[in-house]
Amino acid sequence: MTTNGGETRVYLLDGGTLVIDGYHLYWNLGPGGEVRFPCYSVLVDHPQGKFLFDTGYDLEHVLKVLPFEKPEQTPAQTIPAQLKLIGIEPGEVTHVVNSHYHFDHVGGNRLLPNATTIAHERELNQLHHHEPFERLGYSDTSFDAIGPRYELVNAPTELAPGVELLETPGHTAGHMSLLVRLSGRRPMLFTGDAAYTTKSLETEVIAGFHLDPRASVASIRHLKKVAEDNEAELFCSHDAASFAGWQKAPAYYR
Ligand code: 5PN
Ligand code: ZN
Ligand code: ZN
């Protein structure tokens, strides 16, 4: 196992793009019309393990179940290809932690044969007992079917020194965000779908896909407070303009 001399590195893995309507992106605000946005995963290469936060979508699944989201994902934008860019084999990933179990955040889980899946107990329960309106969101259960080793958490939890999970429910029952402290820059706070874009943060307008809208708004406010208290930079889940400006693998943050 490489340890990078004890340094933690954060890599953003490009997983391609999807399209949704602007009214789904900004509930009851819009503007309407097609919006194409990125899906990405975060590899935290830490002295105590290689933690992957979210794993993007499975192209075959989206083409079959949600073709109207017009997926664009090249072979280079799969989890194995993105890991290869940084010289890591899928079998070397020690832990997978999903912000939540929507299809666009779990697609690569099944490709990580040795990883322990760190699951929020309420999210795992909701995957199995979701409301009818959550059916499409929870449509990719491939990762659950193959029998991963689960480690149940009730966030907030420290996965390793400087790697913290926060509870940010509302979008889903057990949604989690990730705070990573680094030696060479300010902390990185990955919101997951608690905030799709910086406009979601600024306007406090949540996405149309949600379990509990009032909890969703509270989670946006919680994230802004945590960012302020820790002087952290917020990284939203599906913001094309932001994503274009970030360093992507094989480059990294440290
Ligand atoms: C991108 C996207 N598309 C569909 C759904 C859904 O049905 O619940 C969440 C979600 C998405 O994030
Ligand atoms: Zn989601
Ligand atoms: Zn999403």
Side-chain angles (χ1 to χ4, degrees), residues 4-87:
N4 307 320
E7 169 183 283
T8 298
R9 295 179 176 176
V10 171
Y11 297 88
L12 305 188
L13 311 185
D14 184 357
T17 58
L18 294 173
V19 165
I20 59 174
D21 187 81
Y23 279 105
H24 278 144
L25 193 51
Y26 304 110
W27 190 39
N28 292 345
L29 178 69
E34 289 193 348
V35 181
R36 183 168 286 281
F37 60 73
C39 297
Y40 69 94
S41 306
V42 183
L43 181 75
V44 182
D45 193 358
H46 186 282
Q48 295 186 7
K50 296 187 193 307
F51 300 87
L52 188 55
F53 181 69
D54 286 343
T55 64
Y57 65 84
D58 181 86
L59 180 60
E60 293 300 311
H61 175 82
V62 176
L63 286 172
K64 194 168 71 183
V65 180
L66 311 95
F68 46 85
E69 297 208 0
K70 304 178 181 176
E72 288 184 358
Q73 184 186 73
T74 67
Q77 291 171 317
T78 58
I79 290 290
Q82 288 288 303
L83 289 174
K84 192 162 191 166
L85 280 179
I86 53 184

Side-chain angles (χ1 to χ4, degrees), residues 18 20 37 66 69 102-104 136-137 193 196 209:
L18 294 173
I20 59 174
F37 60 73
L66 311 95
E69 297 208 0
H102 281 166
F103 71 90
D104 54 321
L136 273 183
D193 280 358
Y196 279 47
F209 311 113

